[in-house]
Amino acid sequence: MNIQTQDVSETRKSLVASFEAAEIAAEHKAVVGEFIKVARIPGFRPGKAPVAMVSKRHAKDILEEFRKRVVTKAYRSAVEESKLEVVSVINVEEGEINPDAEATITVTVDIQPQFELPEYEGIPTTTEPTDATEDEVEKTIEQMRAERADFKVAERAAAKSDYVKLSYEGSVDGQPILEIAPDKQVYGKVPQTWEEVDGENEGLIPGLGKNLDGLNVGDKKEVSVSFPADFTAVPALAGKDAVYAIEVLEVREKILPEIDEEFLKAHQADDLDGLKTNIRNHIKMQKEGRNRSEQRRQVTESLLSKVSISAPESMVEGETQSVMRQLVNENMRRGVSAEKLEADKEEIYDNARKAAITRVQSQLLLAKIADKEKVRVEEADMNQFIYQQAMQSGQAPDKFVKELTKNRDQLRSIQQSILFNKTLDLLVSKSSVTEAAAEA
């Protein structure tokens, strides 16, 4: 067999394996011999039937197995001789494979790119202070109180933080929004809904809540609002000025609960100081988590800026499809229409591909560092992952494991994710950390 390697690109190669007629004949003879050993033909003991009879009766199966053997041998021999690290098989050109005739098999593969690891110890990273400020603690307590708030009917004009029940109907330049966006009725006409007066968080319709202060039950008013230029929830309203005719139906005052024994018990605290301690610890954990994520990003970006990695096209395309699914699902959750997604599909694909290239480069880099540092996925790592996932999904761990063992691709993906996370943690532990100054 003669093997030649042809460059398609830096990470894509064509392996051309050429067989002489004698080699092909030997493969065919070996396959026929195996069929003779197991063939069941009336009048003959196993292994004693004439070659011609076995070949005729099992011609189709013999030819199929013979061609499969030749292709498999071509691929394995070519990879072994070329010493390439194959990522995936892209295409197989079998050509004509017949007994007693020369054959040429061409297998196109994507391979691992070759690159030198940059220095990865002592990478500068910056973290933020993790201690909770008194302001953060107080805001958290107020959020806790707000979550347990009561809403009582107010016999007065609406004021900040009240909730107003109202009806509304919107139009743009005199045209009803129901006609402009018939599939988004909630933006056009609603018989009743609740809106916070001048709340911190914007409601469904931008600026509507800021126009309710001072209104009484029964009041009617026309409110002008401006939709932002990037209003993806209803693209037809993006950048438009609208007028909403509203009528106030009810006003309710938000009554915050006292910080009493019942409130403290509900938040696993014996007293106010204990509650504040719990909050500080929780905020500290959150900030530490954000720091770890940010440090991981910093070391990854730093390393990628120091090395050039040619990402195999098959890996990039697979990752692109994964990113696209994520982008589409995120946009659909935000209310972006299918028509808008279809119109922007080229832009979505381009953005997904850019992100995919970076992801693949990161994966290749981390895999090489993991190999050098002998980072391994241990049984304890898998057990911890299984326990966490089972808790989040509400499944029993053994049931989760049973489902996982049915999907080898998912299992490999999980193991790879754990490996990359452990490697990132290793890089962060080896980084040079600077803590930013706390804000005054």
Side-chain angles (χ1 to χ4, degrees):
M1 185 193 312
N2 178 46
I3 296 172
Q4 293 182 330
T5 303
Q6 299 175 351
D7 292 340
V8 179
S9 70
E10 189 174 343
T11 56
R12 180 163 291 184
K13 310 295 177 184
S14 285
L15 307 175
V16 184
S18 301
F19 293 86
E20 294 181 357
E23 292 176 289
I24 294 295
E27 284 296 327
H28 185 263
K29 183 178 180 180
V31 171
V32 172
E34 291 177 11
F35 270 80
I36 290 174
K37 290 178 183 179
V38 297
R40 300 287 181 178
I41 297 178
F44 297 94
R45 287 177 294 162
K48 299 299 182 180
V51 173
M53 187 177 293
V54 173
S55 297
K56 183 177 181 180
R57 177 165 292 199
H58 297 284
K60 184 179 179 181
D61 292 336
I62 289 173
L63 185 61
E64 184 179 331
E65 178 64 22
F66 156 65
R67 286 175 174 170
K68 187 190 299 182
R69 292 273 188 94
V70 172
V71 171
T72 301
K73 183 175 182 179
Y75 171 70
R76 289 178 177 171
S77 299
V79 170
E80 183 178 345
E81 184 172 312
S82 63
K83 294 180 172 57
L84 296 175
E85 294 182 69
V86 176
V87 171
S88 60
V89 176
I90 305 304
N91 185 47
V92 177
E93 296 179 19
E94 297 182 7
E96 292 292 329
I97 306 177
N98 295 307
D100 301 321
E102 296 179 349
T104 300
I105 315 298
T106 302
V107 183
T108 302
V109 297
D110 273 355
I111 63 169
Q112 289 278 1
Q114 299 299 310
F115 61 93
E116 294 296 324
L117 282 176
E119 177 56 53
Y120 53 81
E121 294 191 21
I123 296 172
T125 62
T126 303
T127 61
E128 298 294 329
T130 57
D131 289 336
T133 65
E134 285 306 310
D135 184 53
E136 289 172 329
V137 173
E138 291 302 324
K139 282 185 176 179
T140 302
I141 291 175
E142 289 307 300
Q143 289 171 359
M144 288 177 168
R145 295 178 69 195
E147 289 170 0
R148 302 175 70 84
D150 192 13
F151 296 88
K152 295 185 177 180
V153 175
E155 302 292 343
R156 56 166 173 75
K160 182 177 173 62
S161 298
D162 286 345
Y163 275 78
V164 171
K165 183 195 286 188
L166 72 156
S167 63
Y168 63 72
E169 183 172 4
S171 61
V172 174
D173 296 330
Q175 183 182 11
I177 290 176
L178 277 178
E179 295 179 5
I180 298 172
D183 60 331
K184 299 288 185 178
Q185 181 177 344
V186 70
Y187 290 92
K189 183 177 181 179
V190 173
Q192 64 177 44
T193 187
W194 289 95
E195 189 80 26
E196 184 179 6
V197 179
D198 200 16
E200 289 186 10
N201 299 316
E202 196 81 86
L204 192 69
I205 298 172
L208 185 60
K210 298 184 183 302
N211 288 275
L212 303 177
D213 195 6
L215 296 182
N216 288 283
V217 173
D219 283 352
K220 296 180 180 180
K221 181 181 180 180
E222 287 194 344
V223 174
S224 297
V225 303
S226 296
F227 289 96
D230 59 348
F231 194 65
T232 54
V234 187
L237 296 178
K240 300 288 181 64
D241 293 326
V243 175
Y244 280 87
I246 68 171
E247 180 179 358
V248 177
L249 306 175
E250 188 178 328
V251 177
R252 286 185 178 254
E253 181 182 1
K254 181 166 64 175
I255 309 296
L256 297 178
E258 295 296 326
I259 304 177
D260 53 17
E261 184 178 350
E262 181 183 354
F263 180 87
L264 293 168
K265 185 178 180 180
H267 292 93
Q268 292 81 50
D270 296 325
D271 51 32
L272 182 56
D273 287 339
L275 177 64
K276 288 185 175 182
T277 297
N278 293 343
I279 291 171
R280 288 191 188 94
N281 291 337
H282 181 68
I283 291 175
K284 185 179 181 68
M285 286 178 60
Q286 286 184 317
K287 290 184 175 182
E288 288 173 345
R290 287 197 293 269
N291 274 341
R292 282 194 297 273
S293 296
E294 182 60 20
Q295 284 181 284
R296 286 179 169 196
R297 184 192 64 79
Q298 291 174 25
V299 296
T300 302
E301 288 186 356
S302 176
L303 288 171
L304 287 177
S305 70
K306 298 174 184 177
V307 63
S308 177
I309 302 175
S310 297
E313 182 57 32
S314 57
M315 292 182 70
V316 171
E317 187 55 33
E319 196 66 38
T320 298
Q321 296 303 318
S322 176
V323 175
M324 278 189 68
R325 284 192 293 272
Q326 292 175 2
L327 291 175
V328 169
N329 288 337
E330 287 172 8
N331 278 290
M332 290 181 70
R333 281 195 296 269
R334 287 165 48 210
V336 179
S337 66
E339 293 78 10
K340 176 66 173 173
L341 291 173
E342 178 64 24
D344 295 343
K345 64 180 181 181
E346 289 188 12
E347 182 182 352
I348 293 173
Y349 178 83
D350 290 341
N351 291 335
R353 183 174 173 82
K354 289 176 184 176
I357 291 172
T358 301
R359 282 193 189 184
V360 171
Q361 290 172 331
S362 300
Q363 292 166 4
L364 292 167
L365 182 63
L366 292 172
K368 193 160 188 173
I369 293 173
D371 184 59
K372 182 177 179 180
E373 293 287 339
K374 295 181 172 55
V375 180
R376 300 288 183 266
V377 177
E378 308 292 348
E379 184 178 352
D381 300 320
M382 286 300 299
N383 289 341
Q384 182 180 12
F385 174 85
I386 289 167
Y387 177 76
Q388 290 174 342
Q389 292 300 306
M391 289 290 288
Q392 290 177 13
S393 63
Q395 283 183 296
D398 56 343
K399 184 178 180 181
F400 183 82
V401 171
K402 188 176 181 180
E403 293 297 321
L404 191 59
T405 53
K406 295 177 183 178
N407 191 333
R408 292 186 177 275
D409 288 340
Q410 184 184 8
L411 181 59
R412 279 194 293 269
S413 178
I414 289 169
Q415 291 171 330
Q416 187 182 63
S417 178
I418 293 172
L419 181 71
F420 292 159
N421 284 330
K422 291 184 70 173
T423 306
L424 280 169
D425 287 340
L426 175 67
L427 293 172
V428 168
S429 72
K430 293 175 177 288
S431 69
S432 174
V433 184
T434 301
E435 183 174 302
E439 293 184 6

